[in-house]
Amino acid sequence: MTPAARVQTAIELLEPILDGAPAERVLTQWARKSRFAGSKDRAAIRDHVYDVLRRKKSAAYSGGGASPRALMIGLLRLQGIDPEEIFTGISYAPDQLSESEKSHSEIGETIDLPNWITADLKASLGDEFDEIEQHLKNRAPVVVRANLRKATREAAKAKLIAEGIKTTEHPASKTALEVQEGARKIKNSAAFRFGEIELQDAASQAAIEMLSKAATDAGLGRVLDYCAGGGGKLLAMAGKFEGRYFAHDANPSRLRDLPERSKRAGVKAKILATADLSANAAFDLIFCDVPCSGSGTWRRDPDAKWKLDRTSLNKTLLIQRNILSDASSLVRSKGYLAYATCSLLDAENKDQISVFLADNPDWQCLYQRSWTPLDGCDGFFTALLQKP
């Protein structure tokens, strides 16, 4: 495909996405039925779509409208590319620019966030809001975790470079490697296939690293990943701490990849249905990476920020409180409850801890810690609570 044909395809794919279809599903379905497109074509088209979604309001401002075509024109202008060089109407390229499209002169950046949540984020981030908002317009770094059960960080780095994947040590965690070159080779690399590395943001790795003392004090015993999903946090904990690991998720289908990932990582984990939790309690350590707005990961999933609304956020806040309450009942005396979100919002982070402690004054908060894109990470928050 020519560069212009890739742009035209991105415009076509943006149509259903802007109408509400999930971006990832639209891109995946297109790739499956478009066998003529090579891996570089698919990657370029994906980048166009996600770059538009990251900077949708700025692209609309610079393109003179909110249609897929106008957004792509605006994005090219923001990237310093003259749209007339792409919009030629030749060989699958987008149609030539109209006179009004050519004459549009208002080009520049604006806040690329939904209006309703901007004030909340400003209040949560304070003086760092402007800089973080700028980071959210750009792609997130690709970071992998060295699985200490199978390889040191240094050994994983050496194995990756031998396969053309260049990494550097990430300062947030002793297991984190930020990928500089060859990111698209990771899932086919031997290091990945043999469980020596996993894709995981550095903040998530750092949050697990902070659990070291609690894991030791808990006697390296029974550990439950309460909102396990794909099991990334469970595998990270198991890579650092010995113990008996259990996984649970309110939606069991989210756990479908865990058995294969656990086997690859050399970890044993027992999956528990909701009805089985009480019978398997009490746990020394429960980790709750709760459902959240995902505002800390909007660089990776910019589609999500435009689909979030106040009603769904309020429902999520209630779910978070219920999870904290339910999980706390499964912790043994003097055991630990870790709470985490990939959110930048105080309402989902420190405010939830304050509510929990007000309702459970005998519990103790041992620490709270947050990361933002300014740390070279996703937005992430964690707190560690101890039961009396």
Side-chain angles (χ1 to χ4, degrees), residues 158 294 317 334:
L317 294 174
K334 296 187 179 180

Side-chain angles (χ1 to χ4, degrees), residues 109-304:
E109 300 276 359
T110 186
I111 294 176
D112 283 298
L113 296 168
N115 292 336
W116 69 270
I117 204 170
T118 299
D120 297 55
L121 283 167
K122 284 183 175 179
S124 298
L125 299 174
D127 293 341
E128 293 182 337
F129 170 81
D130 290 338
E131 193 174 357
I132 291 173
E133 194 274 328
Q134 284 296 314
H135 277 270
L136 292 177
K137 297 175 187 286
N138 301 309
R139 300 171 196 173
V142 177
V143 181
V144 299
R145 174 179 57 80
N147 176 13
L148 299 183
R149 285 190 174 225
K150 293 194 170 185
T152 64
R153 179 164 70 170
E154 293 72 22
K157 181 179 180 180
K159 194 158 188 176
L160 289 170
I161 196 67
E163 298 190 63
I165 302 168
K166 182 181 178 182
T167 63
T168 57
E169 291 85 355
H170 196 293
S173 169
K174 295 176 182 177
T175 55
L177 291 166
E178 182 172 341
V179 180
Q180 305 296 319
E181 296 177 15
R184 292 192 168 97
K185 298 178 181 179
I186 289 172
K187 288 193 174 181
N188 291 321
S189 70
F192 182 84
R193 288 185 285 109
F194 294 121
E196 294 165 332
I197 61 165
E198 281 277 354
L199 286 159
Q200 189 171 53
D201 182 66
S204 295
Q205 297 184 51
I208 298 303
E209 207 162 274
M210 289 186 70
L211 289 172
S212 295
K213 185 178 185 302
T216 301
D217 291 348
L220 303 178
R222 296 159 55 81
V223 180
L224 171 65
D225 190 347
Y226 190 87
C227 309
K233 306 300 189 303
L234 184 151
L235 296 179
M237 288 188 287
K240 294 186 71 67
F241 323 123
E242 293 294 333
R244 293 180 60 194
Y245 283 90
F246 301 82
H248 164 266
D249 200 284
N251 182 350
S253 66
R254 297 191 186 114
L255 295 162
R256 62 182 177 271
D257 294 333
L258 180 56
E260 180 182 345
R261 292 182 72 188
S262 296
K263 182 179 179 180
R264 188 171 66 230
V267 173
K268 291 183 178 179
K270 182 178 180 180
I271 294 176
L272 298 177
T274 301
D276 298 328
L277 288 172
S278 295
N280 283 272
F283 297 95
D284 300 298
L285 170 65
I286 297 181
F287 195 93
C288 296
D289 185 9
V290 299
C292 68
S293 66
S295 52
T297 62
W298 281 346
R299 291 186 295 177
R300 301 183 192 279
D301 186 14
D303 190 31

Side-chain angles (χ1 to χ4, degrees), residues 1-9 36 41 44-45 48 86 88 90-94:
M1 298 176 70
T2 65
R6 292 169 176 172
V7 168
Q8 175 59 29
T9 301
F36 61 87
D41 296 321
I45 290 163
H48 286 324
I86 302 293
T88 64
I90 300 171
S91 286
Y92 305 104

